[in-house]
Structures are given as C-alpha cells and as structure tokens.
Amino acid sequence: RLGKSVKVGEYRQFHEDFDPALPIQEWLWRETRWDDKDTAALLHRFLFTRDDLLRPIGTLSGGEKSRLQLARLVSSQVSFLILDEPTNHLDIPACEQLEEMLEEFEGTLLVVSHDRYFLDRLVTRVVEVDQRALVSHPMDFVSWWRWKRETAGRRKRALADHGQAAHFLAVAIGVGD
C-alpha cells in the first residue's frame, strides 16, 4: 500500500515508451511542460550537448535513452523511485552522474541491480526474497553481502561436518519420488 502523498516514478531497463521520431528536447518538453531553457539545462545535467537537443530519439544509443529516461524522472518530483537495472547501458561518467543525483534524492529508492559498486554507494537496507517471503536487513549492501557469504560458509561447513547424515537425508527424500 502506498500513502496518499507518495508519487511513484519508474525506471525500466528497456526503453519502449519513446517516440523515435521526436527530438529529445521536444520529448522532454512534452513530459514536463518546462520552457526550452529549463529542459536544455536538465538535459545538460544528464550529459547531453547542445547539438544533441534536436536529435531524434531513434538515433540515441541505449545509454543515451537511459539518461533521457532518468532526466524525465528527475523532473517529475517523485517521492518513491523504482529502478530496474539503472546502470545498464551507461558509461562511467553517466553512472557517476546518476549516483550523485540519487544520493541527493530525498525520497525512497527501490533498486534492482547487478552493479555491486552502484549498490555499495546507495543501499542502506536490503530486502531479500527468501522462500517467497520478503526479509528486511537494515544494513548497507556491503555488510549484507559479507553476512550472506559468512552464513553460506557456516552452512557449507555444517553440511561437511555432518555429510553422511545430510547425504542420507537427501537420499531418503529422493527415495519417495
């Protein structure tokens, strides 16, 4: 459930919601209704040059489309931001720009990512899916990763110490199949 004042923004790793014929500044204007100066300034923050502003969206690379989508999200004043693999297709300067902006973000982030460096910089709580349940770990990503590795190591050692019993149990379970 979301509160009444929560405004959700979503970043998708696939860029299907763009009109390829529209120039990027016009597309952002349609999304924001900001004037040319403000849309250009926002696009510059996302590493677009003055020459890029009139380029049709269809000519953009995957990383450029990602940056354009992120610019739209920044302009929309959301309080809850859902990010699905936001660093895919981004080069290092664009990733750094994204990380800086998200560090300044005052709302809630829900991030799905394989980018450990990105997660290390931003995550303050990990929510893990464990046997179809959500388990909250109020710690940063690095601490959670260490804890997870230690837990897995203890589990492996316990199985090795009781290898025959574990093997028997596995065999006993398999017999009824």
Side-chain angles (χ1 to χ4, degrees), residues 15 17 19-20 46 49 59 64 66 68 73 91 95 99 108 110 124 136 145 150-151 155 158 160 163 172:
H15 310 292
D17 58 342
D19 178 345
F46 282 88
T49 66
T59 67
E64 290 168 326
S66 294
L68 183 57
L73 285 171
D91 59 14
C95 285
E99 290 162 2
T108 300
L110 174 63
T124 58
S136 178
W145 187 257
E150 290 168 5
T151 302
R155 194 172 294 144

Side-chain angles (χ1 to χ4, degrees), residues 12-13 16 26 36-37 42 45 47-50 57 59-60 62-63 71 83 87 93 100 112 114 121-122 126 149:
R12 298 178 186 168
Q13 64 176 308
E16 297 144 353
E26 183 178 339
D36 286 348
K37 181 180 173 188
L42 180 59
R45 284 185 65 197
L47 310 177
F48 289 102
T49 66
R50 184 185 325 214
I57 292 173
T59 67
L60 301 179
L83 303 169
T87 58
E100 288 173 20
V112 175
H114 290 91
R121 268 192 80 175
L122 294 171
V126 175
R149 288 179 58 198

